[in-house]
Amino acid sequence: MTSLPNNPGAKKLGLVIDLDICVGCHACAVNCKEWNTGGHSAPLTDENPYGNDPIGVWFNRVHTYEAGDGANGRTVHFPRSCLHCEEPACVTVCPTGASYKRESDGIVLVNADTCIGCKLCSWACPYGAREYDYADGVMKKCTLCIDRIGNDNLPERDRVPACVSTCPASARHFGDLGDPNSEVSRLVEERGGYDLMPEMGMKPVNKYLPPRTRPVSTASNTTAQDITEPVSGGSGSRFLDWVDRALSR
Amino acid sequence: MPDDIRPDSKYENVDLSPPVSDEVKATTCYMCACRCGIKVHLKDGSIRYIEGNKDHPVNKGVLCAKGSAGIMQHYSPARLSQPLRRVGPRGSGEFEAISWDEALSTAEEWLSDIRRTDPKKLAFFTGRDQSQSLTGFWASQFGTPNHAAHGGFCSVNMAAAGIYTIGGSFWEFGEPDWEHTRYFLMFGVAEDHDSNPIKAGLGKLKTAGKAKFVSVNPVRTGYSAIADEWVGIRPGTDGLFVMALIHELLRTGHVDLEFLARYTNAHWLVRNAPGTAGHGLFVRGRNGKPLAFDRTTGQIVEASRTDIDPAMRGSFPLHDSAPGDGGTETHSVPAFQLLLDRYLDARYSPDAVAAKTGVDAAAIRRIAAELAHAAFEQEVTLDVSWTDWAGRTHDKMVGRPVSMHAMRGISAHSNGFQTCRAIHVLQMLLGSIDCPGGFRYKPPFPRPAPPGPKPAGKPHQVSPGAPMAGPPLGFVTAPEDLLVDESGKALRIDKAYSWDAPLAAHGMMHTVIRNAWAGDPYPIDVLFMFMANMSWNSSMNTSETMKMLTDTDPETGEYKIPKIIYADAFQSEMTAYADLILPDTTYLERWDCISLLDRPISDAEGPADAIRQPVVEPDRDVRPFQDVLIELGVRLGLPAFVNSEGGARYPGGYPDYLANHERAPGIGPLAGWRGENGDSHGHGAANPDQLARYIENGCFWKGEFTPSQRYFKHANKDYLEYAAQMGWIASPDQIVLQLYSEPQQRFKLAGQGFGRVLPPVRFRERIASCFDPLPVWYAPFEDSHTDPAAYPIHALTQRPMAMYHSWGSQNAWLRQIHGWNRLYMNQKSAEGHGLKDGDKVRVESPYGSVSAVIALMEGCNTDTVWTWNAIGKQKGAWNLSKDAPESNKGFLLNHLITDLLPPKDGYRFVNADPITGQAAWFDLRVRVIKDDSVQLGDGNTKALPRAPGVKPAKKLSRYGAQFLPSGNWRRNRKGGAT
Amino acid sequence: MHPAYSVIFFTTASGAGYGALVWMAIFAATGTVTPTAWTGLAAFAVALGLVTAGLLSSTFHLGHPERAWKAFSQWRSSWLSREGVAAVLAYVPALLFALGWIVFETFEGAWLIAGIVTALAALVTVACTGMIYASLRAIPRWTDVTVVPIYLVFALASGGALIFTVFAIIAPPAPEWAWAVAIMIAAAWALKFIYWQRIDAAAPVATAESATGLGRIGRVSLFEAPHTSDNYIMREMGFRIARKHAARLRIIALLLGAAVPVPAFLAAGLFSGVLTAALALAGVAALAAGILVERWLFFAEAKHAASLFYGTDTV
Ligand SMILES: Nc1nc2c(c(=O)[nH]1)N[C@H]1C(S)=C(S)[C@@H](COP(=O)(O)OP(=O)(O)OC[C@H]3O[C@@H](n4cnc5c(=O)[nH]c(N)nc54)[C@H](O)[C@@H]3O)O[C@H]1N2
Ligand SMILES: Nc1nc2c(c(=O)[nH]1)N[C@H]1C(S)=C(S)[C@@H](COP(=O)(O)OP(=O)(O)OC[C@H]3O[C@@H](n4cnc5c(=O)[nH]c(N)nc54)[C@H](O)[C@@H]3O)O[C@H]1N2
Ligand code: SF4
Ligand code: SF4
Ligand code: SF4
Ligand code: SF4
Ligand code: SF4
Ligand SMILES: [Mo]
């Protein structure tokens, strides 16, 4: 039954996304689409692909927000996919057991052969991470590239999610957030990685690294000082002595 | 990375290791011009997955959104599938299918005629193409000077400003030293050609967290969004901003004089004889070598001598007298003195420019201080010894870690050349050219500033039935080099290298249709174009352009542009205007060459080039354009393409040409694995299995510089000798950076009426004021003729990272991300205009009007509106449905951009940079008027018909289902829509 | 939330059906009606008819109706599964109850117990339906404590009104029962009114700032959605109804669902025979319309947390 794993393994595979360097290029979203439309959940159907209001199944979508205003306002690109929550309602509400969380690594998946397409899981997910495939009549979602990360047919270095390996800015990291010493855990530690909407109680595994606060000025006061200190300009002015210092070629 | 992914069969038996593909083929992406290495996974003959090649020098394994959507481009329903001949009127899109033999014979017939009589009557222009070394070569073989690629409407003024100043340039021809830089200043970049390298660089820079990244851009999106500081400058005013930075650095003495003395012409003496023909030119010795004043000996000596202490300011009497000096004693001053005089002037002070640029003075001062701090207090030292041009060895490489990058935000303005030169001057003052932490050249750059040769096309160089003596494109340094007749009239159809655009280093594709239509400077017979959507997003004044393409001569009823041949792979807007269409393959179906002779993929660490190999067979009757061009060459008997018997010299077509063509002895399209046994790189005899070696290596070749060759390339002996040996430069001499640009002064003088070759009177004032040996700022031309009160807002476009110009819209995946475009506007200014988010508006310029939906944002300059580029489409183009949002909600800003400025004493200049002819897309000024009744979309009621052989597009795409195990119910599930 | 008609019909119809079963048990226990084949047939046709129609309609919106049976498997964790199980189980006592009433025409002993168990099963099923919604944290307004009671009273009100009317036509019970129905209806709307008060007053549970975590920087607004075309989530969760519009519909719901039926049934209690039947009939019709509006609003007024990523400020 799709009560949550009663003895969840220590391993919590997930993504860490660095909002400080995400340039919003959509590479992760499209590469995800490309891999997965031929992968475990194939196909990621597109309706009206060449017509009005095309609508397709995507496991990863990149939003752009503006936060704050005036001098400290900023634009933040925000990729969003399934967060592989520790206590995901999308699993507990499922009447068929199609929606489940893997005990061995916490990946949340949908079994397309038992899903009846009742859509209740998508109502239960606060993050809008479920993607209903109208054509297949079943729910689909980010699989954390379950068919890549342990795929013996791929070279070791390619056994990471498609979105991670393609991110041009290296804003995406994949790893075991259950292991406090993993690279991703350390990143989260150092950069104050956070959960989305903790108030929903889903305990997301994926973490987001916040945009860094900006350096006010990199110039030491002294330089800032002496460069802004007024000097009456104009050629020949004695203030231009520096031009006369001896030079060697 | 977590190992052991275990089966967890409690709920489902997931196949953790499905076989990905039967076969993986390496090639080069062409979803944009960045040219990343890709690996294409093939399963049962169709494309399962395209991934980045981790070993490739450009992308190191990553792919952008476009590249990741290659599958949908390759299987696009808009692909042309056979040669076509126009049957309906031009623009109607009515064609009949013809055989390749018919198509080629038609082209041959049209072209051989011209070649026999007057080769100029062929205008051969190629757009987004990556084989300019072939197309340019083909043009000169044909004998027409009327050839260019897309550079003229792209960013030629950036290229030219760089080449004439530092012998290299931005674009993808240089890069910041991402690893060592401490301060990165980016001007007007949304994406650029180096799509992935820039993203990777920024990621690296920000992850390391040691550098500050400042983005100067009216809009805070994309890269600017992750900048540590966003400078929301007013469009067209960067020149002033940069000159104010220069002002501050000079005022406070934060300048690397040593660097200037060693590597630039700052100390060269300039003749100061106002009102004479020699004024402002370098003082040269008998041997023509420039001179400098040596403070140790008090003598005027050769500037290149290394044993002198050159004066950087002062005034030195000249006893020789130059022609025109009237024998009187004149004075000379170091170039640097002139620079001090200019930029210390109060009109370049931060306070003076603040209002115009919209950047407050304090911020400008602070940024100047930060630049100075990074450059002079955060020096980077590499323990690498190197030898300078004069043979002196230095045990360390010391760099000023300030880097800069700029692109179309600067270039798409009529003052772009001068602004870009100002940026290079700033770099030189800080001593941050090709040093650790600074801007770095990518080979084959640096080249002499500027390099030879001159453009061919003078009357004596163009003769019927014969190749042209030299390439159609080159670098002019004086009025004498221009391609104009005695009266000053242009000799090229695009008026490149004429007084309209003297330094038009890339030609002016954007003027060809207008000039061909007007028969100005002369009528042509055949317009032959390749890979440019010239009736739509790559032309200014789109609506007018479509009229010119279809306009007929009232007497004869003939089209004003008699014959149009166009090679495209897809049913773009432009195909509707062709008389003969030569359908190309997709990038996964052909051989291509990314050559050092053209636009290579080198990085600062070493040269690189690459190929494309066919990874899938075309399923249509299409042919690679390069093969077609070579075959036409044979049919027309172009010497370089036929053998002694008049047969094909490259019977194997393009691959044959790639392996065996030699441009100069030992130098061919590809640098890797040359020589009989493929062991020499750069030069060497043709190697019959060169292509095989490329394929083995992932379809690219990458050379590595020794550590001692990696910086100061303009003055690095080891590097210069290597470059000379590779044939990139003629001699291993130091490449002196041109702080002061003499060619500029030569043209200025001509504008002032000095010299043998003078501009027609109506050009003089403009030439005299826009050309200047030291960067100047003048307002974008549009400001001077468009009433700023009536049209108060600057209108811009930006590259969407997930779209490539017009061709991304046929892509089922990318068009979901950008299916239509809105007009973005600053929240506060919108309130001022009484506009709300979602309002329908008319956007008007003096030249046209489009309708749009408004979207409001914080991060936008208050005098600026913008939209994503080239999203709006013509109804029916790209095989999109009649009701597609691209043509029913989206809009194309180009309708508002004029291609000609209003008449000035009877003459209309191109709406372009007056120095290089670079199209001034971003000079546009508009007004925005709320209008709930406007009809959104392209306004056409009729959709372009599908060309013969172009099948109706799918209503439902289940691509990928075919890869499921047979027997899986989803594999052959039918339809089932919403 | 997008108000899907199949779901609205299912919840209202089956609700009424189960409510009716409860009242039938009460009538049986109190001997208000006499067990005849004729009255039994009529009552069960209406009650089980509605329940069955509702259950069937709930499978229409499934992507794979043919797999619907799989939905019984997760009763340990899923309220939807529990509802399904309860609904099916409820048929067992209900059919026995029917057997006694229609075939053996008796309410004696075991047959009556079957009736009472039926009533309990019906209430449990309706409670499960309510819990499906009340348990969705992603739709904060639905987690209000009144949601399950509301489903229950509305089931009883609509079921009561219906079954009273049926009997009023074929075998009139003591007219005073109409007042019980009127009270139920009034209670239902009173509770609904409280629900509306509470959701209007409720503090936001999540915001665009907390959804994105960017509140640390400042006010968060959507600059660009991921795609220019919409997607499943936007269609399903993105549905928004203007406050004005909602307020108007609430009034309409109250007028149709309360202002008409309550007096109608009060009046029905004063008379007998044709007049009572006529009044009840009118009351039922108006009530049904009112409840459909109420149910439509239940969805349309609920904001889903996922909409925070698409420009909604708070939920
Ligand atoms: N308003 C505004 N206008 C602009 C710009 C702007 O910033 N703002 N930018 C300008 C700039 S910098 C440029 S470079 C131009 C770009 O504009 P274009 O050069 O027109 O580029 P595309 O729109 O990509 O069109 C290229 C054409 O090549 C075709 N094509 C694609 N793949 C192949 C192939 O494999 N073979 C062949 N034969 N054809 C192919 C496409 O179908 C399309 O018709 O736009 C310019 N126009
Ligand atoms: N994804 C994608 N990549 C592409 C292309 C594409 O179509 N799509 N096109 C390719 C081509 S042909 C080219 S030429 C390159 C161009 O690459 P970019 O140079 O990035 O071209 P644009 O997108 O026009 O970016 C112009 C930027 O300058 C800003 N800007 C406009 N006016 C000013 C100004 O006066 N001052 C300053 N400081 N900024 C200003 C605009 O806001 C915008 O951000 O991109 C190449 N790469
Ligand atoms: S690929 Fe990387 S940079 Fe691009 S949108 Fe995704 S996370 Fe951001
Ligand atoms: S994000 Fe949504 S779909 Fe993913 S696990 Fe959490 S609740 Fe389930
Ligand atoms: S849609 Fe499928 S996965 Fe989701 S709850 Fe229903 S049955 Fe479970
Ligand atoms: S992990 Fe895989 S499925 Fe999930 S978003 Fe990334 S690419 Fe898509
Ligand atoms: S940047 Fe993207 S589209 Fe351009 S070549 Fe690289 S992967 Fe292909
Ligand atoms: Mo371009």
Side-chain angles (χ1 to χ4, degrees), chain B residues 29 31-32 34-36 63-64 66-67 195-196:
Chain B
C29 182
M31 295 295 286
C32 94
C34 184
R35 296 154 294 158
C36 300
L63 282 192
C64 78
K66 297 159 284 151
S195 296
N196 282 331

Side-chain angles (χ1 to χ4, degrees), chain C residues 4 13 17-18 21 33 104 106 124 126-127 132 139 153 168 180 184 218 220 239 259 263:
Chain C
Y18 287 119
L21 288 174
V33 290
F104 301 106
T106 167
V124 169
V126 174
I132 293 174
I139 307 161
V153 281
M184 261 305 162
V220 172
F239 187 93

